Amino acid sequence: MELDREAWAALRASTPLSLTEADLAELRGTTDPTSLEDVRDVYLPLSRLLNLYVGATQQRHAAVRAFLGESDRPAPFIIGVAGSVAVGKSTTARLLRSLLAQWPNHPNVELVSTDNFLHPNAVLEARGLMRRKGFPESYDRRALVRFVSEMKAGADRIDIPVYSHLNYDIVPGERQSVHRPDILIVEGINVLQPASAGRLAVADFFDYSIYVDAKVENIRNWYLDRFRELRRTAFSDPRSYFHHMATTIREDEALEFAANTWRTINEVNLVENIRPTRGRATLILYKGDDHRVRRVRLRKT
């Protein structure tokens, strides 16, 4: 079923807008123009729909536990958020975490990025995969599947690695503790990847999945816009892996590096690995040239 923005926005019904401009500023990604109007028109209807799904799933789990004579808490409702680099999926995931936590029947919402399951740079270099960072083989897929499966099985707490975009690497010794949430959002470019024969994929544990989509040329432009802004801000930090991009390389050379990185790595990954998983999503958010969601396609069953 496909709806334009106006029809989708009407499905918000009476869902209240709890976010302020200050809240939104903390949730938006670099150069992401998402506004409170977008939150009201796009993300509030989505949070309402997901709340209905969570409630129905909780009721089903309660019936099964009653049948089995069990009294423990239900497993987390797990949502996957996928899409290209620079398309805005991280902003979508953070907005959903904030909005879903406002509903009284599932206040504990955790967000995990699959970047935390990238192999450390030393491992990628040893395997000749640094130019394939972000491709499926650059992730510790066994650890990611094990984490999600243990969460689904009801684990009380799991500590996972932490990836730093500043360092462009896994941070040694640092951990993110995930405490048995009501809802777990797993965000990443390849979360909808199918498994090879005889194996499980992380998407096999999702109760709902969202794909953020846009034209390839638009995503490329957003990627380059973000690179320019990062060169002006985050890359100027001496601790940044890309500090040299802001200090020792001319702007035109830095932009050529970014364009080449998009052309030879990110676009290839998008076309070969990420976009082919779009059809596996329960819901697709289509963005227009201005980075705003224009259409929504959802699977009704």
Side-chain angles (χ1 to χ4, degrees), residues 82-94:
S84 171
V85 169
V87 79
K89 67 186 178 307
S90 296
T91 297
T92 294
R94 289 191 291 265

Side-chain angles (χ1 to χ4, degrees), residues 14-65:
S14 59
T15 308
L17 176 60
S18 56
L19 292 182
T20 65
E21 284 285 1
D23 296 328
L24 181 57
E26 293 184 359
L27 297 172
R28 274 193 301 247
T30 303
T31 69
D32 190 311
T34 300
S35 66
L36 284 178
E37 181 184 5
D38 297 317
V39 174
R40 184 183 65 243
D41 290 351
V42 177
Y43 296 102
L44 285 181
L46 181 52
S47 76
R48 179 180 176 228
L49 175 64
L50 288 170
N51 176 63
L52 294 172
Y53 266 89
V54 174
T57 301
Q58 289 176 339
Q59 289 181 357
R60 187 177 75 248
H61 287 173
V64 173
R65 292 197 310 278

Side-chain angles (χ1 to χ4, degrees), residues 1 53 208 278-283 297-301:
M1 180 179 184
Y53 266 89
Y208 203 89
R278 178 177 56 185
R280 306 188 74 211
T282 322
L283 180 142
R297 176 178 288 181
L298 73 155
R299 195 177 300 156
K300 293 194 291 183
T301 56

